[in-house]
Amino acid sequence: MTESGLRRGSVAGVFGNPSFLYLWIAQALSQTALNATIYILLVRVEEWTGSSAAVSLLILSFIIPSVVMGVAAGVFVDRWPKKRVLIVTNLLRAVIVATFVILAQDLALVILVNLAYSIVSQFFLPAEATSIPQVVERKDLLTANGLFNLTMSAAQLMGFVIVGPLMTKSLPGNSAYLVLAAVYAVCAALLTLMRLPEPALGLEGDKLAKGWWHAITDELKEGWRLLVNDPSVSISVSHLTFINSLILVIGMLAPGYVSRVLNIRPDDAVLVLAPAGVGMLAGISLLPRLSARWPKEHIAVWGIFISASGLLALGLAGVFSDPINALAPFQALSAAMGLESAGLVGVVMLLALTVGVGYAAVNVAAQTLVHERVPLELRGRIFATQFAFANAASVLPLLFLGSLADLFGIVQVTFVGAFVVFVYGILTYLRMRTLAPALSPSLPHPDA
């Protein structure tokens, strides 16, 4: 790694690191391809079967491998060279996605291949997350984590809202899968250029002498002990699980909110909520300065309350939509734009920016704490555990939230979401106060 000479945590300084740049581009392309592939599969299965149950089976076939074997995959990620894991998993995903081209309209076969796709991804995600501290200097860790989290969210948006729909409409037959397979191959090629200095740790010695199964279970217990015994790590993993489940909830509710509250087309949700990305960028830019003054544990809790406040305000905006639109300046704006609720749209865009700031504060601070506090040989297990928890926590929202919004109203569900986030924030704050003597402070920047 080279010293950029730029100020601590600057985006330009991080992007001036070629190895980080290769990893970041590969992440952006591969995550977009992942989400676009899932979108296309959902559309194809819906077209073939016309069954919501079949679509649910497809979604669960991607989530279940993370819940069942995601943590075990982290053991191998910790012991294998991560650069090799990143390259091989991208090549395998290229082959698997290309396989969809030749599959007939056989739901069982599609689900089996999708299971393989998900299993391979369980190795890629923790390897990617644990590689960041190995390619950037410690002073750039907050910014690097922020950029990765922003890119992860943007890739979800690009894959599901832009790339996936465009491919299904513009490319004939199953040719979209060949394009996506080529994207994974390009990612593998980029990662060969990355310098990733790290030791390769094998399953050796006394653990291996017991046999592979005992070796793996011992490794899992070792990671779990760290998670249980280090309150800073356990709280950070809890934050990452909770905030990513929250983003899933917001993503599920966004089209309905835009349609029913703002009275505009559901596919315009991306435009209305785009300021959330700006808010994330603002949060990423501020975090290095904030962390020089306050512990990252506190910044993460602030982010939870900022997110909760933003959700509460979105619910209130829905309740008071008519008075907001009736304000004279907003009436003039609506007339000028030819949009019935231009004022309310502007308010919601501002609130989306607020939620983006809160998300960045929680996610980036918590992930950086994990990077700082967890030894290299355990990071894969910790991140794999977090991914498994997040996927398990997403099952219930996937199954029930849409129906609840239809039954009780989307504004009411938004209020419930805000209440849940506030309660989680209060409980976390009280837990931190109780554990204050046991909480080790987050490590200071070397030049702070």
Side-chain angles (χ1 to χ4, degrees):
M1 290 176 284
T2 60
E3 176 63 51
S4 66
L6 298 173
R7 68 178 175 82
R8 179 178 68 199
S10 71
V11 173
V14 173
F15 279 140
N17 181 333
S19 291
F20 175 82
L21 188 60
Y22 295 136
L23 184 62
W24 178 78
I25 294 173
Q27 182 223 19
L29 291 175
S30 64
Q31 291 302 112
T32 300
L34 175 72
N35 290 292
T37 302
I38 295 171
Y39 176 87
I40 294 170
L41 286 171
L42 291 172
V43 170
R44 295 288 184 252
V45 169
E46 173 63 28
E47 289 174 348
W48 298 342
T49 66
S51 167
S52 297
V55 172
S56 296
L57 278 175
L58 182 69
I59 295 173
L60 289 173
S61 72
F62 195 83
I63 292 176
I64 286 173
S66 172
V67 178
V68 173
M69 60 163 291
V71 180
V75 173
F76 293 99
V77 168
D78 281 333
R79 297 299 175 182
W80 290 341
K82 292 171 186 59
K83 179 177 178 178
R84 188 181 303 168
V85 172
L86 292 169
I87 294 170
V88 171
T89 50
N90 272 307
L91 290 174
L92 287 174
R93 292 197 289 185
V95 173
I96 292 170
V97 171
T99 306
F100 286 119
V101 174
I102 60 174
L103 291 182
Q105 296 180 12
D106 186 321
L107 182 62
L109 276 177
V110 169
I111 286 178
L112 282 174
V113 175
N114 196 47
L115 277 169
Y117 187 44
S118 178
I119 288 169
V120 172
S121 296
Q122 304 318 309
F123 293 88
F124 174 82
L125 293 172
E128 180 186 60
T130 56
S131 295
I132 300 172
Q134 307 310 119
V135 298
V136 300
E137 297 181 19
R138 193 167 175 280
K139 65 184 180 63
D140 293 327
L141 193 53
L142 268 173
T143 302
N145 279 325
L147 288 169
F148 262 76
N149 282 293
L150 176 62
T151 307
M152 182 77 75
S153 299
Q156 290 176 333
L157 187 66
M158 287 291 292
F160 274 105
V161 179
I162 299 175
V163 177
L166 280 176
M167 283 185 162
T168 55
K169 291 178 182 178
S170 60
L171 295 178
N174 288 332
S175 57
Y177 296 125
L178 293 177
V179 175
L180 294 168
V183 171
Y184 279 124
V186 169
C187 292
L190 283 170
L191 291 165
T192 63
L193 304 174
M194 178 182 64
R195 295 184 62 188
L196 186 60
E198 59 169 344
L201 303 172
L203 287 168
E204 299 175 349
D206 294 339
K207 290 181 181 177
L208 191 56
K210 299 177 184 178
W212 280 97
W213 176 253
H214 289 291
I216 291 172
T217 54
D218 284 348
E219 296 273 308
L220 290 174
K221 290 175 184 176
E222 190 178 353
W224 185 255
R225 279 195 296 270
L226 172 66
L227 191 60
V228 171
N229 295 330
D230 189 327
S232 290
V233 175
S234 61
I235 289 173
S236 296
V237 169
S238 174
H239 287 340
L240 290 169
T241 300
F242 185 83
I243 200 67
N244 284 293
S245 298
L246 176 64
I247 288 298
L248 173 67
V249 169
I250 292 173
M252 291 179 64
L253 296 177
Y257 187 95
V258 164
S259 174
R260 300 171 210 173
V261 177
L262 303 183
N263 297 315
I264 59 179
R265 289 171 46 182
D267 54 5
D268 286 332
V270 59
L271 302 176
V272 175
L273 300 178
V278 178
M280 291 180 199
L281 276 175
I284 292 166
S285 300
L286 290 172
L287 277 170
R289 299 176 186 175
L290 294 175
S291 67
R293 297 190 176 188
W294 293 285
K296 297 181 188 70
E297 293 89 345
H298 295 182
I299 294 172
V301 174
W302 299 340
I304 291 166
F305 287 117
I306 291 171
S307 300
S309 300
L311 277 179
L312 176 63
L314 283 169
L316 291 172
V319 171
F320 297 105
S321 57
D322 290 338
I324 290 172
N325 285 319
L327 293 173
F330 289 159
Q331 284 185 327
L333 182 62
S334 296
M337 295 180 63
L339 185 64
E340 179 183 348
S341 55
L344 182 61
V345 169
V347 170
V348 169
M349 291 175 76
L350 180 61
L351 296 176
L353 185 146
T354 303
V355 173
V357 172
Y359 170 81
V362 180
N363 215 31
V364 178
Q367 185 164 318
T368 303
L369 271 167
V370 173
H371 279 146
E372 289 180 343
R373 299 199 54 77
V374 178
L376 173 62
E377 64 272 14
L378 293 175
R379 285 180 194 152
R381 272 160 279 178
I382 298 301
F383 277 111
T385 300
Q386 184 262 306
F387 292 138
F389 285 169
N391 280 300
S394 70
V395 172
L396 287 179
L398 276 171
L399 293 176
F400 297 114
L401 258 187
S403 299
L404 289 175
D406 291 338
L407 185 62
F408 297 105
I410 202 157
V411 170
Q412 287 74 11
V413 172
T414 303
F415 278 128
V416 172
F419 174 76
V420 170
V421 180
F422 270 120
V423 169
Y424 174 80
I426 292 169
L427 291 176
T428 301
Y429 173 74
L430 293 175
R431 184 185 177 201
M432 287 176 60
R433 289 196 63 177
T434 303
L435 296 172
L439 282 174
S440 300
S442 56
L443 300 173
H445 290 287
D447 53 346

